[in-house]
Amino acid sequence: MVTNNGNLDGNEKKVNLDTYESNLNALKSILKNIDNQMGSLDDLIQDIETANQLVQDCKNKLCNIENSINKIL
């Protein structure tokens, strides 16, 4: 989930690495912004950096799940 951190200008975004689902929803929101060409170039760069963090967290969560399943099997 991407939050604005209370800043009115929106420059400082914080990534809350809660759940896979919340990260996926945040990624969908970022993709929608990119598709609609909303925001400035600086916003686009920040969105890409945030998306990268979210993707990495999702990959880690999926790897942990896979490892847990493999331990059970």
Side-chain angles (χ1 to χ4, degrees):
M1 171 188 286
V2 179
T3 58
N4 186 321
N5 224 16
N7 291 352
L8 294 177
D9 61 0
N11 286 336
E12 190 176 327
K13 292 183 182 177
K14 178 180 143 186
V15 176
N16 184 2
L17 304 176
D18 286 335
T19 66
Y20 180 85
E21 291 80 12
S22 65
N23 289 350
L24 187 59
N25 287 332
L27 284 167
K28 287 178 183 179
S29 175
I30 290 170
L31 181 60
K32 185 177 179 180
N33 286 344
I34 292 170
D35 284 344
N36 293 330
Q37 298 177 353
M38 296 173 56
S40 67
L41 182 58
D42 290 335
D43 291 338
L44 176 63
I45 291 168
Q46 181 64 46
D47 283 346
I48 291 171
E49 290 172 354
T50 301
N52 186 45
Q53 291 174 352
L54 292 167
V55 167
Q56 286 298 338
D57 187 61
C58 287
K59 285 181 181 180
N60 289 338
K61 288 181 187 316
L62 290 173
C63 284
N64 289 339
I65 291 169
E66 182 180 23
N67 289 337
S68 296
I69 291 171
N70 287 335
K71 286 180 184 178
I72 293 170
L73 299 176

